[in-house]
Amino acid sequence: YCYEELSTYSNVKVYMTRHTAECPYPESIGVKLGSRDDNHKRVEFAANLDADAYVALHLNSFTNESVKGATVFVPNKNYLPEVGKEGQDLGKSIFKELVGLGLEDRGIITRLSEDGSVYKDGSKADYYGVIKYAKEFEFPGIIVEHCFISSSSDVANHLSTEAQLKALGVADATGIAKYPAVSRDLSMVMKKDILVGEVE
């Protein structure tokens, strides 16, 4: 639904890393960095298209059913701070639309590497692969965790009908369209993922 909505904008070109549930780079799983290698290939695909941003669309899950709501993970400002700011602005724009649908506000979060990974300048890297790799390619990457499939409340209020799913997709697209970079012919790469638990 996000793809369809964004496709109605004449100044936005949307590319998908995949259109099915199949992994686009199955040969990368279990080798080198495992899922991180797969994520690197997806971001590299975006870079080869000269994308202006990479948006990963996910659903969250947790062992406690009472946990619900939306979270957006955005890049830090340690390395290429202008790219970090663009990612944070994009994340805020989408997040505002999602919270406007009634999703609980779980925040806009920057998560730093926990394994000592650093960027070229020696500053602490971002934790999530798609955010880190996008920054290394010099464009923002963000992760949108819409709500929790483990929450009966989120499922009932946001995931049970096509109308609800469409509302989420349109909210994503609206947030992207309100992002200032759209005025300079933004190219978005949408990662059509519904993942349970951690991204990596």
Side-chain angles (χ1 to χ4, degrees), residues 34-111:
S35 63
R36 290 182 181 223
D37 190 49
D38 175 64
N39 284 334
H40 190 276
K41 287 180 182 296
R42 297 181 195 211
V43 176
E44 186 175 34
F45 166 75
N48 290 335
L49 292 167
D50 197 28
D52 292 299
Y54 186 106
V55 179
L57 302 179
H58 295 178
L59 293 178
N60 218 333
S61 182
F62 195 59
T63 53
N64 184 343
E65 186 183 312
S66 67
V67 177
K68 60 183 180 178
T71 304
V72 178
F73 290 96
V74 297
N76 68 43
K77 293 183 181 178
N78 292 350
Y79 172 64
L80 298 177
E82 67 283 0
V83 174
K85 183 179 185 318
E86 286 182 10
Q88 292 181 15
D89 289 347
L90 175 58
K92 288 175 186 175
S93 186
I94 296 172
F95 189 73
K96 181 178 179 182
E97 298 299 321
L98 292 174
V99 171
L101 293 177
L103 284 158
E104 184 170 310
D105 179 341
R106 293 188 56 81
I108 300 166
I109 300 171
T110 297
R111 186 172 177 184

Side-chain angles (χ1 to χ4, degrees), residues 83-84 166 195:
V83 174
K166 183 173 183 177
L195 302 182

